[in-house]
Amino acid sequence: MASSLYAPNLDDYLPSDSLPQEPPRTLNLRDLLDISPVLTEAAGAIVDDSFTRCFKSNSPEPWNWNIYLFPLWCLGVVIRYGLLFPLRTLTLLLGWLAFFAAFFPVHFLMKGQSKLKRKIERKLVEMMCSVFVASWTGVIKYHGPRPSSRPYQVFVANHTSMIDFIILEQMTAFAVIMQKHPGWVGFIQKTILESVGCIWFNRNDLKDREVVGRKLREHVQHPDNNPLLIFPEGTCVNNQYTVMFKKGAFELGSAVCPIAIKYNKIFVDAFWNSKKQSFTMHLVRLMTSWAVVCDVWFLEPQYLREGETSIEFTERVRDMIAARAGLKKVPWDGYLKHNRPSPKHTEEKQRMFAESVLRRLEEN
């Protein structure tokens, strides 16, 4: 017994390639399942970070960090809040007074002259949107041909704020597809914007979606209707990313005219986070900035190619808009911003996953 303890180990003196090699162990699914909770949490954190970045406002870098710049910053605050904001508010109020003085008589007294009435209402809406843009000292540069009213065409654009609609509406009176809003915005939707053919929906109502789909198909068939404008992302994104486009606008059998909108954040971030800020306060923030600087590109109309699916068509148009506006594409549905999975749904998924793990362990 003692001699065996001091016997040399021959394996130590043999070359490694002469020793019997164990076959490489294959990695099975059950091996991965042993660490799956950690992987699931890690993947979930990555996905959540990538998704939430699309809806985060970027805080401006402070530049009033020394005694030389701070007095200039204070002077700028006095000018913006004490001079520009009152003048812009006065401009907006006078614009509204002039608009209502002209719009309501036309709307209620010219019921027998529908074609002339629509034309005047369209021009008044364009005028009021121009007043809004002036109240921010908007510097808007449009590129490409001006949109025109034609049958079987639909315009689609990336979405950063409700002011996207205002900026586009001052150029051409679009009929927009928009979420219903409460308050004074809802009043404007019902009394004014319906006159240019706008269509409202509630994203939480499945019946509304069916009705909207039918109205879209009817709208694009009439040459007298205003051009149809859709924001296929379905929610406001921070103008750095673009989330998935809904394919409804691409299944109408019409020409799709892409519009790329890019804001310059040099003076203000135009992104509207509706979960943290009302639209009124969003407008106040714009009106107390130096200016809103924006570029709008009207791109070439696109048609469904032979053999191309509606999803491929949707992604092709999204690629065009993202490339022109310098946006990063992400594969997330923007509706998750409003409709996160419920805790019950999450617990059910966890239960199903745990049962599959236990079933796999019992097999071994």
Side-chain angles (χ1 to χ4, degrees):
M1 188 69 179
S3 61
S4 64
L5 292 175
Y6 296 99
N9 186 2
L10 295 180
D11 291 347
D12 295 337
Y13 298 93
L14 293 176
S16 58
D17 56 356
S18 66
L19 297 176
Q21 300 290 328
E22 294 184 4
R25 183 170 176 264
T26 59
L27 187 65
N28 297 319
L29 177 62
R30 58 176 173 269
D31 299 316
L32 292 175
L33 289 175
D34 291 337
I35 59 171
S36 60
V38 179
L39 291 176
T40 302
E41 290 181 9
I46 293 171
V47 168
D48 187 60
D49 181 65
S50 174
F51 178 77
T52 55
R53 272 184 299 182
C54 302
F55 310 103
K56 283 185 177 179
S57 300
N58 296 315
S59 302
E61 295 184 4
W63 58 271
N64 57 337
W65 48 272
N66 64 25
I67 195 167
Y68 305 108
L69 295 176
F70 185 71
L72 294 176
W73 179 83
C74 292
L75 178 62
V77 170
V78 172
I79 293 174
R80 287 188 292 116
Y81 285 86
L83 180 62
L84 293 181
F85 182 58
L87 289 176
R88 291 168 174 175
T89 303
L90 180 62
T91 300
L92 193 58
L93 290 176
L94 292 176
W96 273 119
L97 290 175
F99 173 80
F100 284 128
F103 181 84
F104 285 121
V106 170
H107 186 70
F108 292 107
L109 301 178
M110 295 183 64
K111 294 185 177 180
Q113 305 175 31
S114 57
K115 191 171 183 179
L116 179 60
K117 173 186 172 183
R118 283 201 303 268
K119 184 177 180 179
I120 296 175
E121 289 177 340
R122 185 185 304 132
K123 292 299 181 182
L124 287 173
V125 170
E126 291 176 8
M127 180 272 291
M128 192 59 226
C129 290
S130 298
V131 172
F132 265 109
V133 174
S135 71
W136 322 318
T137 314
V139 182
I140 316 299
K141 187 180 291 186
Y142 298 94
H143 310 266
R146 182 186 178 118
S148 58
S149 297
R150 297 177 183 174
Y152 296 103
Q153 70 172 0
V154 57
F155 291 82
V156 298
N158 57 300
H159 197 23
T160 305
S161 168
M162 202 187 301
I163 70 169
D164 301 338
F165 164 70
I166 298 174
I167 288 172
L168 295 176
E169 197 78 2
Q170 77 158 352
M171 170 66 71
T172 298
F174 287 99
V176 71
I177 313 302
M178 188 184 293
Q179 163 75 16
K180 291 178 181 177
H181 290 275
W184 66 270
V185 177
F187 171 77
I188 293 174
Q189 286 179 323
K190 293 177 183 178
T191 58
I192 298 171
L193 295 181
E194 281 188 359
S195 64
V196 293
C198 295
I199 302 171
W200 319 119
F201 70 93
N202 185 347
R203 62 170 53 94
N204 297 320
D205 193 340
L206 294 177
K207 293 182 179 179
D208 263 16
R209 297 183 186 181
E210 298 175 1
V211 173
V212 167
R214 175 174 52 79
K215 288 183 177 180
L216 293 182
R217 288 186 290 271
E218 293 174 354
H219 186 98
V220 297
Q221 295 174 5
H222 295 284
D224 293 334
N225 288 341
N226 292 329
L228 186 64
L229 173 64
I230 299 177
F231 297 105
E233 289 173 303
T235 189
C236 295
V237 189
N238 65 4
N239 208 229
Q240 289 183 307
Y241 299 86
T242 172
V243 297
M244 289 173 57
F245 281 11
K246 304 294 181 295
K247 63 179 182 176
F250 302 85
E251 296 178 328
L252 299 175
S254 304
V256 175
C257 306
I259 303 175
I261 305 173
K262 183 65 176 181
Y263 293 93
N264 190 325
K265 297 182 175 65
I266 186 172
F267 295 124
V268 65
D269 185 0
F271 170 57
W272 177 37
N273 190 339
S274 57
K275 285 187 170 292
K276 295 183 178 180
Q277 190 178 51
S278 67
F279 187 62
T280 301
M281 293 308 299
H282 179 58
L283 287 180
V284 169
R285 187 161 64 90
L286 299 180
M287 293 170 66
T288 53
S289 68
W290 289 110
V292 174
V293 182
C294 176
D295 283 277
V296 178
W297 290 272
F298 296 103
L299 306 179
E300 289 293 327
Q302 302 297 309
Y303 300 87
L304 184 67
R305 296 171 179 171
E306 186 177 354
E308 187 177 41
T309 66
S310 59
I311 295 177
E312 292 170 341
F313 185 26
T314 302
E315 286 302 302
R316 179 161 61 86
V317 172
R318 186 162 78 114
D319 288 340
M320 291 180 61
I321 294 176
R324 179 66 273 185
L327 307 176
K328 300 175 185 177
K329 290 179 58 182
V330 292
W332 309 124
D333 187 342
Y335 273 12
L336 292 176
K337 174 185 174 183
H338 304 278
N339 299 307
R340 289 296 186 96
S342 65
K344 289 184 179 180
H345 179 76
T346 304
E347 291 173 3
E348 179 65 18
K349 289 291 184 182
Q350 291 173 343
R351 185 187 61 79
M352 294 171 60
F353 183 77
E355 289 178 355
S356 67
V357 173
L358 291 174
R359 197 162 45 245
R360 177 66 65 179
L361 293 175
E362 290 173 356
E363 292 176 0
N364 296 331

Tab-separated table of all heavy atoms in Angstrom, residues 213-250:
chain	number	residue	atom	x	y	z
A	213	GLY	N	-59.921	52.183	-39.961
A	213	GLY	CA	-59.476	51.510	-41.177
A	213	GLY	C	-60.439	51.712	-42.333
A	213	GLY	O	-60.023	51.952	-43.475
A	214	ARG	N	-61.722	51.642	-42.039
A	214	ARG	CA	-62.731	51.868	-43.090
A	214	ARG	C	-62.716	53.309	-43.565
A	214	ARG	O	-62.783	53.584	-44.767
A	214	ARG	CB	-64.117	51.487	-42.551
A	214	ARG	CG	-65.255	51.786	-43.510
A	214	ARG	CD	-66.557	51.248	-42.964
A	214	ARG	NE	-66.817	51.699	-41.599
A	214	ARG	CZ	-67.298	52.905	-41.300
A	214	ARG	NH1	-67.538	53.783	-42.250
A	214	ARG	NH2	-67.537	53.228	-40.041
A	215	LYS	N	-62.582	54.261	-42.630
A	215	LYS	CA	-62.552	55.686	-43.006
A	215	LYS	C	-61.319	56.021	-43.842
A	215	LYS	O	-61.390	56.863	-44.752
A	215	LYS	CB	-62.573	56.552	-41.742
A	215	LYS	CG	-63.927	56.572	-41.029
A	215	LYS	CD	-63.890	57.509	-39.829
A	215	LYS	CE	-65.254	57.582	-39.152
A	215	LYS	NZ	-65.226	58.497	-37.972
A	216	LEU	N	-60.194	55.389	-43.547
A	216	LEU	CA	-58.984	55.632	-44.327
A	216	LEU	C	-59.178	55.233	-45.781
A	216	LEU	O	-58.821	55.971	-46.708
A	216	LEU	CB	-57.800	54.868	-43.730
A	216	LEU	CG	-57.290	55.297	-42.362
A	216	LEU	CD1	-56.092	54.449	-41.956
A	216	LEU	CD2	-56.903	56.753	-42.355
A	217	ARG	N	-59.746	54.039	-45.979
A	217	ARG	CA	-59.958	53.561	-47.349
A	217	ARG	C	-60.929	54.456	-48.111
A	217	ARG	O	-60.759	54.694	-49.314
A	217	ARG	CB	-60.461	52.116	-47.316
A	217	ARG	CG	-59.390	51.105	-46.907
A	217	ARG	CD	-59.878	49.683	-47.032
A	217	ARG	NE	-60.881	49.377	-46.006
A	217	ARG	CZ	-60.574	48.908	-44.801
A	217	ARG	NH1	-59.289	48.721	-44.469
A	217	ARG	NH2	-61.511	48.630	-43.919
A	218	GLU	N	-61.939	54.958	-47.404
A	218	GLU	CA	-62.896	55.848	-48.060
A	218	GLU	C	-62.261	57.200	-48.377
A	218	GLU	O	-62.537	57.789	-49.427
A	218	GLU	CB	-64.128	56.039	-47.159
A	218	GLU	CG	-64.958	54.779	-46.974
A	218	GLU	CD	-66.076	54.982	-45.968
A	218	GLU	OE1	-66.114	56.069	-45.340
A	218	GLU	OE2	-66.899	54.058	-45.781
A	219	HIS	N	-61.408	57.677	-47.482
A	219	HIS	CA	-60.833	59.024	-47.647
A	219	HIS	C	-59.921	59.105	-48.873
A	219	HIS	O	-59.983	60.085	-49.633
A	219	HIS	CB	-60.047	59.406	-46.389
A	219	HIS	CG	-59.550	60.819	-46.398
A	219	HIS	ND1	-60.207	61.845	-45.757
A	219	HIS	CD2	-58.449	61.393	-46.973
A	219	HIS	CE1	-59.551	62.976	-45.940
A	219	HIS	NE2	-58.477	62.728	-46.670
A	220	VAL	N	-59.076	58.094	-49.061
A	220	VAL	CA	-58.080	58.174	-50.136
A	220	VAL	C	-58.702	58.044	-51.522
A	220	VAL	O	-58.043	58.329	-52.529
A	220	VAL	CB	-56.995	57.081	-49.952
A	220	VAL	CG1	-56.230	57.297	-48.663
A	220	VAL	CG2	-57.604	55.684	-49.987
A	221	GLN	N	-59.956	57.632	-51.591
A	221	GLN	CA	-60.595	57.436	-52.896
A	221	GLN	C	-61.160	58.720	-53.488
A	221	GLN	O	-61.432	58.769	-54.694
A	221	GLN	CB	-61.711	56.390	-52.768
A	221	GLN	CG	-61.215	55.005	-52.408
A	221	GLN	CD	-62.352	54.027	-52.158
A	221	GLN	OE1	-63.521	54.369	-52.348
A	221	GLN	NE2	-62.019	52.818	-51.743
A	222	HIS	N	-61.347	59.769	-52.682
A	222	HIS	CA	-61.990	60.990	-53.155
A	222	HIS	C	-60.939	62.051	-53.460
A	222	HIS	O	-60.163	62.446	-52.577
A	222	HIS	CB	-62.975	61.511	-52.106
A	222	HIS	CG	-64.127	60.578	-51.861
A	222	HIS	ND1	-65.175	60.444	-52.733
A	222	HIS	CD2	-64.378	59.720	-50.841
A	222	HIS	CE1	-66.038	59.554	-52.266
A	222	HIS	NE2	-65.570	59.093	-51.113
A	223	PRO	N	-60.916	62.566	-54.706
A	223	PRO	CA	-59.900	63.570	-55.063
A	223	PRO	C	-60.100	64.917	-54.384
A	223	PRO	O	-59.150	65.701	-54.280
A	223	PRO	CB	-60.055	63.695	-56.585
A	223	PRO	CG	-61.466	63.261	-56.861
A	223	PRO	CD	-61.780	62.213	-55.834
A	224	ASP	N	-61.320	65.226	-53.908
A	224	ASP	CA	-61.579	66.518	-53.275
A	224	ASP	C	-61.141	66.566	-51.814
A	224	ASP	O	-61.089	67.653	-51.224
A	224	ASP	CB	-63.074	66.865	-53.373
A	224	ASP	CG	-63.511	67.115	-54.812
A	224	ASP	OD1	-62.648	67.503	-55.624
A	224	ASP	OD2	-64.702	66.915	-55.119
A	225	ASN	N	-60.858	65.403	-51.225
A	225	ASN	CA	-60.441	65.374	-49.824
A	225	ASN	C	-59.020	65.908	-49.668
A	225	ASN	O	-58.192	65.815	-50.586
A	225	ASN	CB	-60.511	63.953	-49.274
A	225	ASN	CG	-61.941	63.494	-49.065
A	225	ASN	OD1	-62.859	64.312	-48.980
A	225	ASN	ND2	-62.140	62.187	-48.989
A	226	ASN	N	-58.748	66.461	-48.508
A	226	ASN	CA	-57.393	66.928	-48.210
A	226	ASN	C	-56.424	65.754	-48.154
A	226	ASN	O	-56.833	64.624	-47.853
A	226	ASN	CB	-57.371	67.685	-46.882
A	226	ASN	CG	-58.119	68.990	-46.959
A	226	ASN	OD1	-58.181	69.631	-48.000
A	226	ASN	ND2	-58.720	69.394	-45.846
A	227	PRO	N	-55.137	65.975	-48.440
A	227	PRO	CA	-54.156	64.876	-48.364
A	227	PRO	C	-54.176	64.225	-46.987
A	227	PRO	O	-54.287	64.904	-45.965
A	227	PRO	CB	-52.819	65.577	-48.635
A	227	PRO	CG	-53.169	66.832	-49.350
A	227	PRO	CD	-54.515	67.255	-48.839
A	228	LEU	N	-54.058	62.916	-46.983
A	228	LEU	CA	-54.118	62.153	-45.739
A	228	LEU	C	-52.723	62.030	-45.140
A	228	LEU	O	-51.766	61.637	-45.816
A	228	LEU	CB	-54.692	60.762	-46.015
A	228	LEU	CG	-54.954	59.868	-44.808
A	228	LEU	CD1	-56.021	60.467	-43.902
A	228	LEU	CD2	-55.390	58.468	-45.271
A	229	LEU	N	-52.608	62.389	-43.858
A	229	LEU	CA	-51.326	62.332	-43.141
A	229	LEU	C	-51.439	61.347	-41.989
A	229	LEU	O	-52.366	61.425	-41.176
A	229	LEU	CB	-50.954	63.720	-42.613
A	229	LEU	CG	-49.731	63.804	-41.697
A	229	LEU	CD1	-48.456	63.409	-42.431
A	229	LEU	CD2	-49.594	65.206	-41.096
A	230	ILE	N	-50.476	60.436	-41.913
A	230	ILE	CA	-50.457	59.412	-40.858
A	230	ILE	C	-49.066	59.392	-40.233
A	230	ILE	O	-48.050	59.467	-40.934
A	230	ILE	CB	-50.808	58.017	-41.418
A	230	ILE	CG1	-52.219	58.019	-42.017
A	230	ILE	CG2	-50.713	56.948	-40.335
A	230	ILE	CD1	-52.619	56.704	-42.652
A	231	PHE	N	-49.034	59.283	-38.902
A	231	PHE	CA	-47.775	59.060	-38.176
A	231	PHE	C	-47.750	57.582	-37.779
A	231	PHE	O	-48.292	57.200	-36.729
A	231	PHE	CB	-47.699	59.958	-36.945
A	231	PHE	CG	-47.698	61.427	-37.266
A	231	PHE	CD1	-48.832	62.208	-37.064
A	231	PHE	CD2	-46.574	62.032	-37.789
A	231	PHE	CE1	-48.839	63.558	-37.364
A	231	PHE	CE2	-46.562	63.386	-38.099
A	231	PHE	CZ	-47.695	64.152	-37.892
A	232	PRO	N	-47.154	56.718	-38.596
A	232	PRO	CA	-47.297	55.269	-38.387
A	232	PRO	C	-46.593	54.729	-37.153
A	232	PRO	O	-46.819	53.577	-36.791
A	232	PRO	CB	-46.716	54.666	-39.674
A	232	PRO	CG	-45.826	55.721	-40.226
A	232	PRO	CD	-46.409	57.027	-39.816
A	233	GLU	N	-45.740	55.523	-36.508
A	233	GLU	CA	-45.150	55.048	-35.254
A	233	GLU	C	-46.200	54.964	-34.153
A	233	GLU	O	-46.041	54.191	-33.201
A	233	GLU	CB	-44.014	55.979	-34.830
A	233	GLU	CG	-42.779	55.880	-35.714
A	233	GLU	CD	-41.737	56.924	-35.378
A	233	GLU	OE1	-42.075	58.127	-35.417
A	233	GLU	OE2	-40.587	56.556	-35.087
A	234	GLY	N	-47.238	55.782	-34.251
A	234	GLY	CA	-48.331	55.707	-33.293
A	234	GLY	C	-48.059	56.378	-31.969
A	234	GLY	O	-48.920	56.384	-31.092
A	235	THR	N	-46.888	56.964	-31.782
A	235	THR	CA	-46.554	57.634	-30.535
A	235	THR	C	-45.378	58.569	-30.799
A	235	THR	O	-44.716	58.477	-31.838
A	235	THR	CB	-46.180	56.616	-29.440
A	235	THR	OG1	-46.069	57.272	-28.187
A	235	THR	CG2	-44.874	55.904	-29.751
A	236	CYS	N	-45.122	59.475	-29.865
A	236	CYS	CA	-44.020	60.431	-30.025
A	236	CYS	C	-42.701	59.785	-29.612
A	236	CYS	O	-42.601	59.187	-28.533
A	236	CYS	CB	-44.276	61.683	-29.181
A	236	CYS	SG	-45.720	62.640	-29.698
A	237	VAL	N	-41.701	59.900	-30.475
A	237	VAL	CA	-40.360	59.374	-30.222
A	237	VAL	C	-39.399	60.567	-30.202
A	237	VAL	O	-39.685	61.608	-30.801
A	237	VAL	CB	-39.949	58.349	-31.298
A	237	VAL	CG1	-38.652	57.643	-30.937
A	237	VAL	CG2	-41.068	57.312	-31.485
A	238	ASN	N	-38.253	60.422	-29.542
A	238	ASN	CA	-37.424	61.587	-29.222
A	238	ASN	C	-36.561	62.127	-30.357
A	238	ASN	O	-35.600	62.839	-30.128
A	238	ASN	CB	-36.539	61.283	-28.008
A	238	ASN	CG	-35.531	60.176	-28.296
A	238	ASN	OD1	-35.422	59.681	-29.416
A	238	ASN	ND2	-34.805	59.767	-27.273
A	239	ASN	N	-36.882	61.800	-31.608
A	239	ASN	CA	-36.211	62.358	-32.788
A	239	ASN	C	-34.758	61.909	-32.908
A	239	ASN	O	-33.983	62.498	-33.658
A	239	ASN	CB	-36.308	63.883	-32.813
A	239	ASN	CG	-36.279	64.459	-34.223
A	239	ASN	OD1	-35.539	65.386	-34.525
A	239	ASN	ND2	-37.084	63.910	-35.110
A	240	GLN	N	-34.402	60.870	-32.166
A	240	GLN	CA	-33.112	60.219	-32.346
A	240	GLN	C	-33.279	58.795	-32.830
A	240	GLN	O	-32.366	58.237	-33.434
A	240	GLN	CB	-32.323	60.217	-31.032
A	240	GLN	CG	-31.819	61.577	-30.610
A	240	GLN	CD	-30.999	61.496	-29.342
A	240	GLN	OE1	-31.444	60.945	-28.325
A	240	GLN	NE2	-29.796	62.047	-29.364
A	241	TYR	N	-34.441	58.216	-32.562
A	241	TYR	CA	-34.756	56.844	-32.947
A	241	TYR	C	-36.056	56.829	-33.735
A	241	TYR	O	-36.824	57.790	-33.714
A	241	TYR	CB	-34.898	55.950	-31.709
A	241	TYR	CG	-33.647	55.849	-30.862
A	241	TYR	CD1	-33.375	56.788	-29.870
A	241	TYR	CD2	-32.735	54.817	-31.058
A	241	TYR	CE1	-32.226	56.704	-29.098
A	241	TYR	CE2	-31.585	54.726	-30.286
A	241	TYR	CZ	-31.337	55.662	-29.311
A	241	TYR	OH	-30.199	55.573	-28.549
A	242	THR	N	-36.292	55.727	-34.401
A	242	THR	CA	-37.585	55.489	-35.027
A	242	THR	C	-38.026	54.076	-34.685
A	242	THR	O	-37.265	53.111	-34.878
A	242	THR	CB	-37.534	55.682	-36.555
A	242	THR	OG1	-38.771	55.260	-37.131
A	242	THR	CG2	-36.395	54.908	-37.204
A	243	VAL	N	-39.220	53.952	-34.111
A	243	VAL	CA	-39.750	52.645	-33.734
A	243	VAL	C	-40.536	52.060	-34.905
A	243	VAL	O	-40.640	52.674	-35.971
A	243	VAL	CB	-40.630	52.748	-32.462
A	243	VAL	CG1	-39.808	53.206	-31.279
A	243	VAL	CG2	-41.815	53.686	-32.691
A	244	MET	N	-41.080	50.881	-34.719
A	244	MET	CA	-41.775	50.184	-35.800
A	244	MET	C	-42.951	51.002	-36.335
A	244	MET	O	-43.657	51.649	-35.572
A	244	MET	CB	-42.288	48.828	-35.296
A	244	MET	CG	-41.211	47.793	-35.031
A	244	MET	SD	-41.882	46.298	-34.254
A	244	MET	CE	-43.130	45.825	-35.452
A	245	PHE	N	-43.130	50.950	-37.646
A	245	PHE	CA	-44.281	51.576	-38.288
A	245	PHE	C	-45.440	50.581	-38.318
A	245	PHE	O	-45.252	49.396	-38.595
A	245	PHE	CB	-43.950	51.978	-39.727
A	245	PHE	CG	-43.161	53.250	-39.856
A	245	PHE	CD1	-42.579	53.854	-38.741
A	245	PHE	CD2	-42.992	53.852	-41.088
A	245	PHE	CE1	-41.845	55.028	-38.860
A	245	PHE	CE2	-42.260	55.029	-41.219
A	245	PHE	CZ	-41.690	55.608	-40.103
A	246	LYS	N	-46.646	51.085	-38.030
A	246	LYS	CA	-47.843	50.263	-38.236
A	246	LYS	C	-48.096	50.147	-39.738
A	246	LYS	O	-47.925	51.106	-40.492
A	246	LYS	CB	-49.050	50.899	-37.544
A	246	LYS	CG	-48.853	51.150	-36.056
A	246	LYS	CD	-48.734	49.823	-35.317
A	246	LYS	CE	-48.569	50.049	-33.821
A	246	LYS	NZ	-47.321	50.717	-33.471
A	247	LYS	N	-48.519	48.993	-40.182
A	247	LYS	CA	-48.608	48.747	-41.626
A	247	LYS	C	-49.939	49.158	-42.240
A	247	LYS	O	-50.125	49.000	-43.450
A	247	LYS	CB	-48.355	47.271	-41.914
A	247	LYS	CG	-49.381	46.324	-41.291
A	247	LYS	CD	-49.077	44.883	-41.645
A	247	LYS	CE	-50.139	43.953	-41.071
A	247	LYS	NZ	-49.911	42.549	-41.497
A	248	GLY	N	-50.881	49.702	-41.443
A	248	GLY	CA	-52.192	50.056	-41.977
A	248	GLY	C	-52.130	51.038	-43.129
A	248	GLY	O	-52.855	50.916	-44.118
A	249	ALA	N	-51.228	52.038	-43.029
A	249	ALA	CA	-51.115	53.041	-44.084
A	249	ALA	C	-50.546	52.466	-45.368
A	249	ALA	O	-50.689	53.064	-46.442
A	249	ALA	CB	-50.227	54.195	-43.606
A	250	PHE	N	-49.923	51.291	-45.283
A	250	PHE	CA	-49.252	50.701	-46.433
A	250	PHE	C	-50.097	49.605	-47.083
A	250	PHE	O	-49.636	48.943	-48.011
A	250	PHE	CB	-47.901	50.136	-45.997
A	250	PHE	CG	-47.003	51.166	-45.362
A	250	PHE	CD1	-47.110	51.471	-44.005
A	250	PHE	CD2	-46.069	51.860	-46.111
A	250	PHE	CE1	-46.292	52.426	-43.419
A	250	PHE	CE2	-45.257	52.817	-45.527
A	250	PHE	CZ	-45.364	53.103	-44.184
